[in-house]
Amino acid sequence: MRHLTPALPPLALTAVLLLVWEVACRRLAIPVYFLPPPTAVVQALIDNGPVLAGSALQTFWMAFKALVVAVGLGGGLAVLVSLNRFAERAIAPLAVTLQVTPVVAIAPLVLIWVGLDHADRAVTALAAAVAFFPVFSGVLTGLKATDPDLERLFDLHNATAVQRLWRLRLPSCLPFALEGIRVASGLAIIGAVVAEFVSGSGATQGLAWRLLEAGNRLRTADLLAALVCLAVMGLALNAAATAARQYGLRHRDGHL
């Protein structure tokens, strides 16, 4: 019960909002194509369950691959540039430029590079570009946030750059890196969906394609059902990243 208590307020608020939504739709006779009641959305989830599950799995797989790529490239690049101030000054602005460039602007270029026959690769690459910066920034910030007294201690012992990185900076940057990965996990989902929207291809058959399909046919209940699947998937990935962060911090503290 102690672990469930924090979840009670949001669950209660959600239940109240759903009840108000249901009653308003029925009392005001709102057209189903405009705003279906929650019961209609639940029915759409039941009717389209297998299709939505397959699309959700496809979107999750592309987002997961994008997150792995972002962690590998962002974390690795942050470690490399932290060893050289000139490299940091040269690369950091480019990373910020990638972050502020809308994914819709670079989607056509990525599609040309990978080919229309490999739309899933384009979606993965675009989602990885969206998720890259939080990992890069988190790891780089953590590597530069070490205790100055410990830095001087390593100077006294004539520690090499590798020893300083492995024994001091990497353990110190773990909270920042894990927080960056947690943020990037949500952005990977968003990036995958947006990339599938702008790719203009149904080859990936992810949740974004289901949203487009339902919207074009004015099947609002099916559209909301796909949004529910997307929200649940995002919450699950965020919860997994948060749990991994807490485990990583406890594991680190147990070895200090």
Side-chain angles (χ1 to χ4, degrees):
M1 289 299 297
R2 182 181 60 185
H3 296 291
L4 294 177
T5 300
L8 291 180
L11 289 176
L13 178 60
T14 302
V16 171
L17 292 176
L18 290 175
L19 180 60
V20 173
W21 178 4
E22 181 77 24
V23 172
C25 287
R26 295 185 181 276
R27 291 293 181 88
L28 300 177
I30 299 176
V32 177
Y33 70 87
F34 184 78
L35 181 63
T39 50
V41 178
V42 173
Q43 187 61 46
L45 282 169
I46 296 173
D47 295 340
N48 303 321
V51 175
L52 290 175
S55 296
L57 182 62
Q58 180 70 7
T59 299
F60 178 83
W61 177 237
M62 291 186 293
F64 179 76
K65 289 189 295 183
L67 181 61
V68 171
V69 172
V71 170
L73 291 179
L77 186 61
V79 171
L80 290 177
V81 302
S82 69
L83 300 175
N84 187 286
R85 291 186 178 275
F86 176 79
E88 180 182 348
R89 290 195 296 267
I91 294 177
L94 298 179
V96 174
T97 302
L98 178 64
Q99 173 68 12
V100 300
T101 302
V103 67
V104 296
I106 61 176
L109 183 61
V110 175
L111 281 170
I112 292 173
W113 286 343
V114 303
L116 293 176
D117 295 334
H118 303 288
D120 58 328
R121 297 180 185 176
V123 172
T124 300
L126 291 168
V130 174
F132 168 84
F133 187 76
V135 178
F136 174 80
S137 178
V139 174
L140 186 59
T141 300
L143 290 171
K144 296 167 61 178
T146 53
D147 189 337
D149 292 334
L150 292 177
E151 290 279 3
R152 286 190 287 270
L153 179 62
F154 273 68
D155 290 336
L156 290 174
H157 289 81
N158 295 320
T160 64
V162 175
Q163 290 174 330
R164 188 186 301 268
L165 176 67
W166 182 254
R167 295 181 178 274
L168 175 61
R169 293 182 176 174
L170 284 179
S172 298
C173 88
L174 186 60
F176 299 88
L178 292 174
E179 180 63 19
I181 293 173
R182 188 187 69 81
V183 175
S185 64
L187 291 178
I189 295 285
I190 296 172
V193 173
V194 173
E196 190 176 2
F197 271 129
V198 300
S199 68
S201 171
T204 56
Q205 293 293 304
L207 281 176
W209 182 251
R210 300 302 168 201
L211 291 169
L212 285 172
E213 184 181 44
N216 291 334
R217 298 179 181 181
L218 292 180
R219 290 158 47 182
T220 313
D222 294 348
L223 192 152
L224 290 174
L227 284 176
V228 169
C229 292
L230 186 60
V232 170
M233 183 172 59
L235 288 173
L237 189 58
N238 184 270
T242 301
R245 178 179 182 275
Q246 293 174 347
Y247 174 79
L249 293 179
R250 287 198 303 268
H251 184 74
R252 185 202 66 163
D253 294 339
H255 286 77
L256 289 179

